[in-house]
Amino acid sequence: ETTWWIMLHYSPFKAFWDWIILLLVLYTAVFTPYSAAFLLDEHGDLRQRRCGYTCNPLNVADLMVDVLFIVDIVINFRTTYVDQNDVVVTQPSWIAKHYIKGWFPIDLFAAIPFDLLIFRSGSDEMATLTSLLKTARLLRLVRVARKLDRYSEYGAAVLFLLMCTFVLIAHWLACIWYAIGFVERPYTETGWLDNLAEQLGKAYNDSDSTSGPSVKDKYVTALYFTLSSLTSVGFGNVSPNTNSEKIFSICVMVIGSLMYASIFGNVSAIIQRLYSGTTRYHTQMLRVKEFIRFHQIPGSLRQRLEEYFQHAWSYTNGIDMNAVCKEAFTSVIHIHF
């Protein structure tokens, strides 16, 4: 039984709300690094100060995400949980104490609207600090990863999540790669951004903040470089030139090798798990045929045996019903006695 305004953690609304938070966290994981790196320029900051905070649609979306994250904190304060003794806790004070000791600090820090609090500061340092603080929302990915662990038994879902993780890491590295070129461009003319501007015929003009390659050109090129560096050693058409770019490229190659070992190394095991039922079927069918051949069973009876095995397999999918029932019966006895 629950008291007033206490939500069960397995209720349909809580499951629906968790999916909403999952989508918001994925939005945050994609757009927060992107806006912090590619949309941070003096021209955009000046335009924002002139027309207001709601001038940029991304600011409105970020504000809505912050509001929903705050609502999620309130819901978590009123949601039951299962303790170490497998008992559902419904007392509000115990729920609050459990949440404060757990995910509350991360959720609270990720829900603070830093860009709204430091709005109209007028300094580039504060704008950069705001962008860095907004990346704290990515801490919620740890909590989402724990919730997605329930789908680890499904091979196709695990394969899809691994590929999404690979693309997401490449996206983050692309944002860092651009940030390095953006910071070093005023002090050097040999960075990858200057080379890109020369290749596209869109040279930078220090007196015009809108000059140079477009945001689309810079992001696509940065993502192309990180993906090619993670999957191989790159193709050389986008190459690091400064020391900072070379150090970052070395780190990307090391990360790529680790990702090959942790992500793509599991692909073969996942595919084998997907076809494990087919493999067991062919193995059992081969044993039946060897049994028929060894005992020299007549043709009519042999056909009936094979048809019976195929029918039994399609009905039970190779599961030993007697063993399952026996194990379930034993578990029930242990629970009651």
Side-chain angles (χ1 to χ4, degrees):
E1 297 181 358
T2 58
T3 58
W4 184 249
W5 288 109
I6 294 296
M7 183 185 306
L8 294 174
H9 62 280
Y10 52 84
S11 63
F13 175 78
K14 187 60 171 64
F16 174 74
W17 180 257
D18 287 340
W19 277 105
I20 294 179
I21 295 299
L22 172 62
L23 295 177
L24 294 178
V25 171
L26 293 179
Y27 166 83
T28 300
V30 174
F31 283 95
T32 297
Y34 175 80
S35 60
F38 288 89
L39 303 183
L40 182 61
D41 54 17
E42 297 177 357
H43 181 73
D45 187 63
L46 179 61
R47 184 174 64 251
Q48 178 174 290
R49 287 198 294 266
R50 287 178 178 176
C51 64
Y53 182 79
T54 59
C55 175
N56 190 351
L58 284 178
N59 291 337
V60 180
D62 290 343
L63 182 60
M64 294 177 60
V65 170
D66 291 334
V67 172
L68 291 176
F69 280 170
I70 294 174
V71 173
D72 181 61
I73 293 177
V74 177
I75 291 177
N76 287 326
F77 269 113
R78 313 299 295 180
T79 303
T80 61
Y81 71 96
V82 180
D83 61 7
Q84 298 178 352
N85 298 323
D86 294 333
V87 177
V88 178
V89 178
T90 60
Q91 296 296 327
S93 59
W94 294 357
I95 294 174
K97 187 181 300 183
H98 176 264
Y99 182 52
I100 290 175
K101 292 181 179 180
W103 293 99
F104 174 72
I106 293 178
D107 292 345
L108 179 63
F109 192 69
I112 298 176
F114 293 103
D115 48 353
L116 185 61
L117 295 177
I118 317 179
F119 180 62
R120 294 184 182 276
S121 60
S123 63
D124 296 337
E125 291 78 7
M126 294 302 294
T128 304
L129 178 62
T130 302
S131 300
L132 294 177
L133 291 176
K134 285 172 63 177
T135 58
R137 295 176 177 176
L138 300 180
L139 294 174
R140 276 183 168 262
L141 283 174
V142 181
R143 186 174 180 180
V144 171
R146 293 187 60 183
K147 290 184 178 181
L148 291 177
D149 186 61
R150 70 185 68 174
Y151 301 103
S152 60
E153 58 181 311
Y154 305 105
V158 173
L159 185 60
F160 177 75
L161 291 175
L162 289 177
M163 296 303 299
C164 291
T165 302
F166 179 79
V167 176
L168 185 62
I169 292 177
H171 168 74
W172 293 345
L173 294 176
C175 296
I176 299 175
W177 172 250
Y178 170 74
I180 293 175
F182 177 79
V183 172
E184 290 190 334
R185 201 192 65 78
Y187 309 103
T188 180
E189 296 182 355
T190 60
W192 74 272
L193 283 177
D194 292 288
N195 291 340
L196 177 63
E198 183 179 355
Q199 293 174 5
L200 299 178
K202 301 178 181 178
Y204 281 100
N205 186 2
D206 294 336
S207 60
D208 185 8
S209 60
T210 61
S211 62
S214 63
V215 176
K216 179 181 178 181
D217 295 332
K218 292 181 286 190
Y219 174 73
V220 171
T221 305
L223 185 61
Y224 165 79
F225 170 77
T226 54
L227 280 174
S228 60
S229 298
L230 288 173
T231 56
S232 61
V233 293
F235 299 100
N237 48 357
V238 181
S239 58
N241 299 315
T242 64
N243 290 333
S244 300
E245 294 174 356
K246 292 177 181 178
I247 293 174
F248 178 77
S249 300
I250 294 173
C251 296
V252 171
M253 293 181 211
V254 173
I255 294 174
S257 62
L258 295 176
M259 291 178 66
Y260 261 106
S262 59
I263 295 180
F264 292 102
N266 296 325
V267 172
S268 59
I270 293 173
I271 294 177
Q272 288 179 0
R273 193 194 313 171
L274 291 176
Y275 294 98
S276 60
T278 305
T279 303
R280 287 189 294 112
Y281 169 78
H282 288 293
T283 302
Q284 293 292 100
M285 191 65 181
L286 182 61
R287 291 176 180 175
V288 172
K289 291 182 178 180
E290 290 178 351
F291 175 83
I292 293 173
R293 189 183 304 111
F294 178 79
H295 292 279
Q296 298 179 357
I297 296 177
S300 59
L301 182 58
R302 177 178 61 201
Q303 183 178 0
R304 291 177 60 185
L305 281 174
E306 292 178 356
E307 290 178 355
Y308 172 79
F309 171 77
Q310 294 173 358
H311 173 74
W313 186 276
S314 63
Y315 182 73
T316 63
N317 200 20
I319 299 174
D320 189 354
M321 294 299 180
N322 294 327
V324 173
C325 293
K326 182 179 179 181
E327 188 172 345
F329 181 73
T330 305
S331 301
V332 171
I333 292 176
H334 281 298
I335 290 175
H336 287 281
F337 299 101

